[in-house]
Amino acid sequence: MTPSDVALAVDWAAAEGWNPGLHDASLYPLADPAGFLIGYLGATPVATISVVRYGDGFGFLGFYIVAPEHRGRGYGLQIWNAGMDYLKGCNVGLDGVVDQQANYRKSGFTLAYSNIRYAGGTTPALPEHADLVDVAEIPFEAIQAYDRAFFPAARDAFLQAWIAQPNSHGYGVMRDKRLRGYGVVRTCRVGHKIGPLYADDAEVAEVLFQALASTTDPADPVYLDVPSTNPAAVRLAERCGMTPAFETARMYTGAAPEIPLSRLYGVTSFEIG
């Protein structure tokens, strides 16, 4: 894809109801500039897919969309095959629509768990917490090291841009000179998404959630994507007045990476992991 193609894919994702962030089109390619494919029929774009390759061993698939007027003609399969060929040799992850699980299984994917998008909630005041700091005040090396536990591969260039993107806020909790959790909230086509939200425990997660949510307009919805296997994350979302909006199936072609899901309170992105 060219930059304008990526912008088109993000527009298509918005039309599908996936509610991308305002700056996703410029940030996502930082993870892998070659990992965004588009299929043209003549001069007409008909299909997209992202197949971000993180190093040699892990990839993540998203933006798998065929323009509605061109569906049912095999174009999706063609771009799927091209994308999977690009990720050959990788353990590939995706967050798929639940009712498409059977099709993903045919391509070698196995269900690991589900992620639930929670929406709504109230906008609290910024909590008074001695250990709460703006993410800009935290050395990037500390964020980089903390983030690495939650992702199967390094994603430094993307991460550095993600935590500093426009129309966003980030906070961390520093205790005894050690990062105990951090999160980012970004403005989306509709409302705001919190992600990632990583924390050592539920108390830190709630402080971070409240701090991030406090930066948003009370009239706007807030979204948080949580793994269903983390009951503390589910309780946090419900306690903050959020309700389930939809669910995805997190699937992998290989073994599910060893990620501390009990400390994962908010997924960074359904599109690139």
Side-chain angles (χ1 to χ4, degrees), residues 60 95 113-116 118 146-152 155 180-183 194-202 204-206 208-209 224-237 250 252 257-270 273:
F60 203 87
D95 273 305
Y113 54 89
S114 62
N115 284 314
I116 304 170
Y118 279 85
Y146 197 88
D147 186 87
R148 190 65 182 82
F150 297 90
F151 204 73
R155 50 178 182 174
R180 304 304 177 110
Y182 87 95
I194 293 175
L197 179 57
Y198 303 147
D200 284 0
D201 55 49
V204 170
E206 185 152 3
L208 289 169
F209 178 91
L224 181 69
D225 301 330
V226 308
S228 62
T229 51
N230 183 353
V234 172
R235 286 195 296 270
L236 171 63
R250 173 60 64 91
Y252 296 98
E258 293 186 9
I259 292 172
L261 294 172
S262 63
R263 296 194 290 127
L264 200 167
Y265 288 80
V267 177
T268 302
S269 162
F270 282 162

Side-chain angles (χ1 to χ4, degrees), residues 9 15 24 33 59 80 86 140 145 157-158 205 235 239 246 267:
D24 288 0
W80 173 276
Y86 178 72
F140 178 67
F158 164 76
R235 286 195 296 270
R239 191 163 56 248
F246 70 86
V267 177

Side-chain angles (χ1 to χ4, degrees), residues 157-170:
F158 164 76
L159 182 63
Q160 194 159 24
W162 187 260
I163 63 176
Q165 65 181 284
N167 305 105
S168 75
H169 290 83

